[in-house]
Amino acid sequence: MRVGTWNVENLFTPGAGYGPSEQGVFAEKVAGLAATITDAGLDVVAVQEVGDEDAFAALIDALGSGWTGELSTKFATPHTIRNGIVSRLPIEIVSEHDAIPSELQGVPVDDNQTALTAMGRGALHIRVHSPDGVGVDVVSVHLKSKLITYPGGRFTPRDEAERARYGAYGLYRRAAEAVAVRGFADELIDGEGDERHVVVTGDFNDEVQAATTQIIHGPAGSEIGTPGENRPDQGDAHRLFNLAPLIPEELRFSRVYRGRGELIDHLFVTNATRQVTTEATTLTGGEPLASIDDLPNTRRDSPYSDHALVVATFDV
């Protein structure tokens, strides 16, 4: 079973949101996304930055017969991007989670001390069965971006004090969202990670060692590549293992930011799934990733995503 995650970068129809200015660009982008997914032999793909229902439907149509999909309904305005999942395996259960734990709902997100109560993009969950009939839960997530937006929609701060404050607000939000995702994962795992197959994947907007990414792991110890990796313990039933160390080092990045490759899209799996993981890699669809900056409109008419597709194979 092949599972992937891909931030498809503002998949809007022409004229909608951050969508392209021409239908031809949109058609080229959808065709390229579908071709890459097909060539990768994927069964399930979590997608992020889907802008509208028509764009999502166009992707499913381009994938062809047998593909279906689910799209999250909970997202923040005005940038109405959301999570989705497309699958060529029958989708049996669908749920969505966006609530911030009550203990963290006082976290401020701006100078007006607005309290955070919900994730900016709802975490979307489906359950499928592998070709051999094994149940697998997949969750698509997209945590708060590191891109800072200031009051009035500005991308430039008035001064360095404002930059620092809003950098902290963004970090607070991403951390609270990571806690919410971890709590949702706990419900799915239910202390049975040695038996249950759960994949929590998506754009976490931070690298492997970042504090917000580390929150997703659960109990410390036994991470892939550490001395405790092959020492079973009680925490294995609760952990989520980041498959990043299994990606070949030269491919271990999913975005290029200001000329530097960084891995911010991750596949986390339970111990049961980690034990049957045979491969992890990244794919770009034949086009090198473009280096991006903090200006969100410059790539509006690009037919390519600025993220790589991150893929893993499970022998389930």
Side-chain angles (χ1 to χ4, degrees), residues 43 60 63-69 86-91:
D43 297 295
I60 294 173
L63 286 167
S65 176
W67 284 86
T68 58
V86 293
S87 173
R88 65 185 185 92
L89 302 174
I91 296 173

Side-chain angles (χ1 to χ4, degrees), residues 222-275:
S222 297
E223 290 87 353
I224 296 171
T226 68
E229 177 181 359
N230 296 314
R231 299 175 186 169
D233 59 44
Q234 292 182 346
D236 286 345
H238 306 273
R239 288 190 182 97
L240 284 168
F241 295 80
N242 193 336
L243 299 182
L246 301 183
I247 299 172
E249 188 172 358
E250 69 274 14
L251 299 175
R252 205 174 295 161
F253 63 94
S254 60
R255 188 178 75 164
V256 179
Y257 177 68
R258 297 187 181 276
R260 174 183 173 273
E262 54 183 16
L263 185 64
I264 64 173
D265 302 88
H266 304 286
L267 285 156
F268 286 90
V269 300
T270 52
N271 189 42
T273 311
R274 184 259 179 277
Q275 296 303 320

Side-chain angles (χ1 to χ4, degrees), residues 111-197:
D111 282 349
N112 295 323
Q113 301 299 296
T114 303
L116 181 64
T117 60
M119 300 173 66
R121 275 86 64 162
L124 182 66
H125 158 245
I126 68 165
R127 179 173 296 164
V128 298
H129 278 81
S130 74
D132 288 336
V134 178
V136 180
D137 290 286
V138 179
V139 182
S140 177
V141 307
H142 188 184
L143 301 190
K144 170 68 179 75
S145 170
K146 288 186 283 187
L147 175 66
I148 303 174
T149 304
Y150 302 95
R154 291 179 288 115
F155 292 102
T156 303
R158 292 192 175 95
D159 52 42
E160 291 308 304
E162 185 181 53
R163 185 195 301 275
R165 288 197 311 278
Y166 275 82
Y169 295 147
L171 181 59
Y172 298 160
R173 180 188 289 272
R174 190 161 60 257
E177 289 181 343
V179 173
V181 169
R182 179 64 229 196
F184 185 35
D186 287 341
E187 295 176 13
L188 295 174
I189 298 169
D190 196 24
E192 297 182 8
D194 290 330
E195 292 83 29
R196 293 189 179 185
H197 293 285

Side-chain angles (χ1 to χ4, degrees), residues 4 30 33 42 75 92 113 171 174 206 243 246 267 316:
V30 169
L33 294 173
L42 294 175
F75 49 88
E92 300 176 5
Q113 301 299 296
L171 181 59
R174 190 161 60 257
D206 228 331
L243 299 182
L246 301 183
L267 285 156
V316 292

